[in-house]
Amino acid sequence: MFALVAALLFLLALIFEIANVAVGGVLTATTLGTAGLLCVALHLMGLGAGWKPLKR
């Protein structure tokens, strides 16, 4: 799930960078890229993978 969110954030960052768009002073291509990297890191940690604990 985090990988999908990261891909969407990277896509938005690319569009913002190509169009040279900044929404306010906060939402820029750099912040979207950083949020995408955070989602990739969370995905690589195993969060959002949908695993279930073993039943005993």
Side-chain angles (χ1 to χ4, degrees), residues 26-45:
V26 178
L27 191 59
T28 63
T30 305
T31 56
L32 288 173
T34 303
L37 288 174
L38 173 66
C39 289
V40 168
L42 291 173
H43 174 73
L44 290 175
M45 280 179 37

Side-chain angles (χ1 to χ4, degrees), residues 4 10-11 13 17 22 24 29-30 32-33 35 37 40-41 43 46 54 56:
L4 179 65
F10 286 138
L11 176 66
E17 188 66 35
T30 305
L32 288 173
L37 288 174
V40 168
H43 174 73
L54 296 174
R56 294 183 182 213

